[in-house]
Amino acid sequence: MFTPPWSNHRLAPDEKYSGSLADMNLLGLQKNGPLSYIINDADITIVIKFSPWIIPWETKSEFRFVTEKQPDGTLRWIPRTLDNR
């Protein structure tokens, strides 16, 4: 669908890396542009694909997050299990 700038990043076994959803161009729209978007709520799954150096095939892990609106109007990302609907 899209490739955020932090895709295809090579990590050492003990190295950490983080990316921001703000780095992604959701639906090809511009944030605060003429065709902008506002996220009121969301339910997303992030798929991490990786190839451990000792295993010659690719594996993946999935992580699901939903938003929860805070009293001040901001959204907080809450982890959920993949089967918890």
Side-chain angles (χ1 to χ4, degrees):
M1 184 186 322
F2 48 80
T3 304
W6 32 268
S7 286
N8 301 317
H9 192 80
R10 188 175 288 266
L11 298 174
D14 59 347
E15 183 181 0
K16 295 180 181 180
Y17 189 81
S18 62
S20 170
L21 291 179
D23 293 340
M24 291 189 277
N25 186 0
L26 299 173
L27 306 174
L29 302 177
Q30 303 171 21
K31 188 168 184 174
N32 301 323
L35 297 174
S36 63
Y37 59 89
I38 297 172
I39 297 175
N40 293 316
D41 58 45
D43 184 337
I44 64 169
T45 301
I46 298 173
V47 178
I48 307 296
K49 294 180 184 178
F50 56 97
S51 300
W53 66 272
I54 201 164
I55 302 171
W57 56 83
E58 184 177 88
T59 188
K60 71 177 183 177
S61 294
E62 295 183 50
F63 304 92
R64 181 173 172 233
F65 298 89
V66 297
T67 55
E68 180 179 274
K69 195 163 209 162
Q70 302 299 297
D72 65 359
T74 59
L75 295 177
R76 180 174 172 218
W77 291 97
I78 309 294
R80 291 284 187 259
T81 60
L82 293 173
D83 60 351
N84 181 7
R85 298 282 168 197

